[in-house]
Amino acid sequence: MRRIILPVFLLLQASLLAQTSSSWKAGAADVDITPDYPVRLSGYGSRTAETAKVAQRLHANALTLQWQDDKPAVIVSVDNCGVPASVRAEVLKRLATGGRTIADERFSLHSTHTHCAPMLKGVLPFLFGEDLAADQAQHIERYTEDLTANLVSIIGQALDKMAPARLEWSVGRAYFAFNRRLKTDAGFQNAQNFSGPTDRALPVLCVRSADGKKLIAVHASYACHCTTLGIDEIHGDWAGLAHEELELRFPDSVCLIAIGCGADQNPYPRKENRFAVNHGVSIAKEIVRLINSPMLPLNGPLNCAHREVMLPFDKLPTVEEWRAKAADPNKWTAYHARQHLARLEHGEKIPSALPYDIQVWNYGNDLLTINLPGEVVVDYSLRFKNEYDPARTWVNSYTNDVPCYIPSQRVWEEGGYEAAGAMIYYGRPTRFSSGIENIIAGTVKQLVPQDFISRRMQNPAGPLSGKIK
């Protein structure tokens, strides 16, 4: 693979940082999660077979943070289309069994959403519109277990490596994401909409040793689908390439890439490996630029909160409607209906709502991080930054679970793939009811500390005014 050498001038400001001892402790670890056996890849329903071809190796990364004597918090990133809540829960359970209890609200697990990674049990279960062969299902079970064990291992390693540290952050910009929802006479379709809303922000958290001389970890996210490539080979796409470039430049550090509210954003250009390289390198270059420039210190405490809400589905189909759908010539529509009919025949109840766990972290009054499960459209990021201060607000999606697309009210009313069509592949019975945006936004508002909101009222310009490039 072509290597792009990035200029590195890290530690120019080390002397400026080494003034007082830090109240933070941090540790980080990385593990290769590339399977050495054939497995079905997730992301694209047109795939028909397993693969063992590896175009780029996959990684999972862990960062542990602790402010003074508070309980540790854990950030994990995984090169996968979507890690389900069931895997996350099992990781927490095994950590607790091993005496390394992490509070639920203090664990954020981010999927990079690459479409060239192994399928995991519980995510996009109806993606292929048919039952998988027994050996293929077994390989998916095996990889799900392998990933779970690897996550437990690297979190433990990161906890063991915790040492005094300094946290800083800043926001850069990236420009390859474009809104993919294009309106036609027939409605909305997946295309490339250069006039639709986007979020160009590239927030970056930098973790250094207490004296500022060593880079421990970098955590960043960008609101864009990880779909530059559609190859039937294992690959991390632009997020994996950004990770690779940064760890080439800083081999003793760990890089965690997450995805913002990019459910309706595609990378452009796409479909060729060179474009994936260019996108990944552009992210890495911007991160390097930021960490070699003055960044804002992050103070504690790190307050973490979460709350589960129920997002109601629209009116569920009747048995007669399910039967009609089961005869549809589209194999995905028919398979989806047959699966739900089978549940009804076995006396199971079709759920009328989706459990949705919202997570909010704040680093003192310096930074607010909102973590949302699912494929969340860009409207949410733009709304929360406007409501809580664009200079101090960082919004991630694909976090802690990837149950389906999460449309805004605007997208719900427009219709199309993100609003309704994709629910078939996720195995959800139908689209959401109108109004889920306000349910989510209202819950976030309850979780954001009043002190954080009050600070914006005192300083409307925000502490990063003039520093976001």
Side-chain angles (χ1 to χ4, degrees):
M1 179 178 292
R2 176 168 61 102
R3 301 296 186 196
I4 308 297
I5 303 301
L6 304 181
V8 176
F9 306 103
L10 181 65
L11 311 179
L12 289 179
Q13 71 266 40
S15 61
L16 298 177
L17 296 173
Q19 296 175 359
T20 59
S21 60
S22 174
S23 295
W24 290 103
K25 291 182 180 180
D30 173 282
V31 64
D32 189 313
I33 57 171
T34 312
D36 58 3
Y37 46 87
V39 65
R40 289 294 287 266
L41 302 185
S42 189
Y44 296 117
S46 58
R47 292 184 171 120
T48 59
E50 294 181 320
T51 186
K53 294 181 179 179
V54 178
Q56 187 197 32
R57 303 197 71 80
L58 305 177
H59 290 261
N61 313 273
L63 171 63
T64 54
L65 302 172
Q66 184 176 13
W67 172 262
Q68 297 180 349
D69 295 325
D70 292 347
K71 294 180 180 179
V74 177
I75 301 171
V76 169
S77 67
V78 181
D79 286 334
N80 196 273
C81 193
V83 180
S86 57
V87 167
R88 180 181 181 273
E90 182 63 21
V91 168
L92 288 173
K93 178 182 176 181
R94 294 187 192 183
L95 285 168
T97 300
R100 315 299 293 265
T101 299
I102 301 296
D104 188 277
E105 67 273 11
R106 302 183 79 82
F107 181 33
S108 66
L109 194 160
H110 305 273
S111 302
T112 65
H113 201 53
T114 173
H115 283 40
C116 296
M119 190 173 192
L120 292 172
K121 184 180 179 181
V123 177
L124 288 162
F126 297 176
L127 179 62
F128 302 113
E130 60 187 13
D131 292 336
L132 295 176
D135 60 332
Q136 294 181 0
Q138 184 180 26
H139 291 161
I140 291 170
E141 292 260 10
R142 176 182 174 185
Y143 187 78
T144 303
E145 167 56 31
D146 288 347
L147 177 64
T148 303
N150 276 320
L151 295 182
V152 173
S153 176
I154 60 166
I155 292 170
Q157 293 174 41
L159 288 167
D160 290 340
K161 292 180 180 179
M162 291 184 75
R166 295 179 182 275
L167 272 61
E168 309 160 281
W169 90 294
S170 189
V171 182
R173 309 281 283 180
Y175 297 94
F176 60 83
F178 289 89
N179 198 296
R180 72 185 192 183
R181 288 172 57 81
L182 179 66
K183 189 171 184 179
T184 68
D185 291 340
F188 277 79
Q189 63 181 14
N190 288 115
Q192 206 72 51
N193 181 4
F194 293 101
S195 64
T198 60
D199 184 355
R200 302 291 188 202
L202 179 68
V204 176
L205 170 66
C206 178
V207 183
R208 306 176 192 264
S209 58
D211 60 7
K213 294 181 178 180
K214 178 183 177 182
L215 181 65
I216 297 172
V218 171
H219 173 39
S221 78
Y222 184 54
C224 185
H225 247 74
C226 215
T227 53
T228 318
L229 301 175
I231 57 177
D232 292 331
E233 300 177 26
I234 292 169
H235 198 291
D237 209 277
W238 66 259
L241 288 161
H243 171 277
E244 182 178 278
E245 289 293 332
L246 282 164
E247 293 203 341
L248 280 171
R249 307 285 69 80
F250 310 115
D252 295 327
S253 71
V254 173
C255 173
L256 299 91
I257 300 293
I259 308 297
C261 296
D264 52 350
Q265 312 292 305
N266 270 350
Y268 183 82
R270 58 201 299 248
K271 303 296 186 184
E272 295 183 25
N273 185 69
R274 63 191 176 103
F275 298 140
V277 171
N278 290 342
H279 299 333
V281 169
S282 69
I283 294 289
K285 281 185 174 179
E286 183 68 347
I287 292 173
V288 169
R289 184 186 72 82
L290 291 174
I291 65 178
N292 287 326
S293 304
M295 302 180 79
L296 292 175
L298 272 182
N299 296 303
L302 174 53
N303 300 307
C304 305
H306 78 121
R307 184 167 300 166
E308 183 179 271
V309 295
M310 301 301 291
L311 302 183
F313 292 120
D314 213 339
K315 182 182 177 182
L316 298 178
T318 64
V319 172
E320 291 73 20
E321 288 170 334
W322 281 125
R323 288 173 179 161
K325 291 175 183 291
D328 196 288
N330 181 294
K331 77 169 188 175
W332 286 275
T333 300
Y335 182 79
H336 177 263
R338 290 198 302 271
Q339 294 299 307
H340 282 87
L341 277 173
R343 292 174 182 174
L344 290 171
E345 289 169 0
H346 285 87
E348 297 179 27
K349 185 178 180 180
I350 304 299
S352 60
L354 175 78
Y356 191 75
D357 200 355
I358 298 166
Q359 188 180 69
V360 172
W361 290 10
N362 67 286
Y363 299 75
N365 284 327
D366 295 331
L367 174 63
L368 177 72
T369 303
I370 300 169
N371 294 322
L372 302 175
E375 301 203 50
V376 184
V377 299
V378 74
D379 291 352
Y380 285 88
S381 176
L382 300 177
R383 172 174 178 165
F384 291 140
K385 288 180 181 181
N386 180 62
E387 291 182 356
Y388 300 113
D389 190 352
R392 294 183 295 142
T393 303
W394 177 342
V395 188
N396 294 306
S397 65
Y398 302 93
T399 306
N400 296 328
D401 191 15
V402 184
C404 59
Y405 275 82
I406 307 297
S408 62
Q409 185 65 25
R410 174 185 66 86
V411 170
W412 186 90
E413 292 174 0
E414 291 173 350
Y417 183 78
E418 295 85 356
M423 299 297 259
I424 285 180
Y425 308 108
Y426 278 102
R428 304 305 168 190
T430 188
R431 70 173 184 168
F432 288 115
S433 293
S434 175
I436 67 164
E437 178 181 339
N438 284 337
I439 294 174
I440 294 170
T443 305
V444 168
K445 186 175 183 180
Q446 294 171 8
L447 296 175
V448 176
Q450 186 58 45
D451 286 349
F452 186 92
I453 298 173
S454 298
R455 179 175 172 181
R456 184 183 187 185
M457 301 301 293
Q458 297 166 6
N459 181 19
L464 274 176
S465 180
K467 291 186 178 289
I468 301 178
K469 301 179 178 64

